[in-house]
Amino acid sequence: MHKATAYHDALGDHFAEHAGTSPYNAYTDRPAMLRLAGNVSGARILDVGCGAGHYAAELSARGAQVVGVEGSATLLRHAQAHVHGQAELFLHDLEEPLGFAADASFDGAVCALVYEHVRNRVQLLGELRRVLRPSGWLLISTTHPTADWGHFGGSYFSHDWRDLPIGDSKLSIHYQRLPLETFLNELLAAGFVLQQLIEPRPTADLREIDEAAYNKLHQAPSFLAVRLQRP
């Protein structure tokens, strides 16, 4: 991804440190996306923007053959340490075509909290459609547009690029606000069929660890997640 949006250096290290335990990643986004994936045993899966390797590790543990790509060398190092050689991971800028992958070479693809960081989404979706087999599935999660609207204010229909501070770390992530109609229409225009849309809530385990975060994430959505099919 573009230098301004990939999680390089200190931002990558911070994400890798917290993604395994964060209420947002570990207890909300990731469990929801893995439920959408269902049984992946024997499937060949592309992890698009694999981050610190949490999805790659979990999908591999469930019997999938995982190929992960990541635009940040910092995160790729964390991912390689996380998967212990159980997935094939390499550096790749998602603003570029997926030239490493043959047509119809994957059963499924996961794109978790990456889509809103990509500028050339039309190209990325076209490439994902190309590399997926007929009836292959694609999972995408993104920030919920109402969460962005509540945080940044202004027009709900804004498509501006924003910097979201991460706690007290003095770090921030850079991404584009996407109204629901933009998000869904981009996916449908790329030729995918929508199978399921959910607004993930945290798992019950979080209540025992951080009741305030559990209650907050049950009262207002932070993410959207969809399962799509390639015809």
Side-chain angles (χ1 to χ4, degrees):
M1 293 182 293
H2 191 273
K3 173 68 175 175
T5 58
Y7 293 8
H8 298 289
D9 305 322
L11 181 57
D13 289 334
H14 184 277
F15 177 81
E17 179 183 355
H18 292 88
T21 57
S22 162
Y24 296 90
N25 299 99
Y27 292 93
T28 306
D29 174 68
R30 199 152 57 243
M33 288 279 274
L34 291 170
R35 285 195 300 273
L36 284 178
N39 182 4
V40 298
S41 181
R44 188 166 191 256
I45 298 175
L46 179 62
D47 188 354
V48 184
C50 65
H54 293 90
Y55 275 97
E58 185 62 38
L59 292 166
S60 296
R62 297 182 182 199
Q65 178 189 352
V66 180
V67 176
V69 294
E70 172 55 50
S72 162
T74 304
L75 279 176
L76 188 65
R77 288 194 297 272
H78 287 287
Q80 288 168 336
H82 197 154
V83 303
H84 304 293
Q86 298 303 304
E88 180 184 356
L89 307 177
F90 56 94
L91 194 67
H92 179 78
D93 185 347
L94 292 179
E95 303 292 349
E96 300 297 329
L98 306 177
F100 59 88
D103 293 359
S105 55
F106 289 94
D107 300 297
V110 175
C111 185
L113 302 180
V114 173
Y115 189 76
E116 64 274 17
H117 298 285
V118 177
R119 285 172 166 77
N120 197 349
R121 295 188 297 272
V122 171
Q123 175 182 266
L124 176 60
L125 291 171
E127 283 290 275
L128 289 172
R129 193 178 191 279
R130 177 184 68 80
V131 304
L132 286 170
R133 298 187 176 107
S135 298
W137 50 266
L138 169 62
L139 308 184
I140 297 181
S141 62
T142 188
T143 58
H144 200 291
T146 62
D148 287 336
W149 186 31
H151 183 82
F152 295 116
S155 171
Y156 166 84
F157 298 102
S158 173
H159 290 74
D160 61 351
W161 287 80
R162 290 287 187 141
D163 293 295
L164 179 68
I166 303 177
D168 300 322
S169 66
K170 298 184 179 179
L171 299 168
S172 63
I173 58 175
H174 189 65
Y175 67 95
Q176 188 177 21
R177 292 174 60 178
L178 298 174
L180 179 60
E181 66 179 15
T182 299
F183 176 63
L184 289 180
N185 284 334
E186 287 182 358
L187 304 178
L188 298 177
F192 289 98
V193 175
L194 178 64
Q195 293 186 311
Q196 191 174 357
L197 181 150
I198 61 174
E199 296 168 302
R201 270 84 88 192
T203 61
D205 294 346
L206 180 61
R207 187 175 226 161
E208 304 301 319
I209 299 167
D210 188 339
E211 187 171 7
Y214 176 86
N215 291 334
K216 177 183 177 181
L217 287 164
H218 266 277
Q219 292 168 1
S222 287
F223 305 123
L224 279 176
V226 294
R227 181 182 171 107
L228 306 154
Q229 187 177 55
R230 181 210 189 280

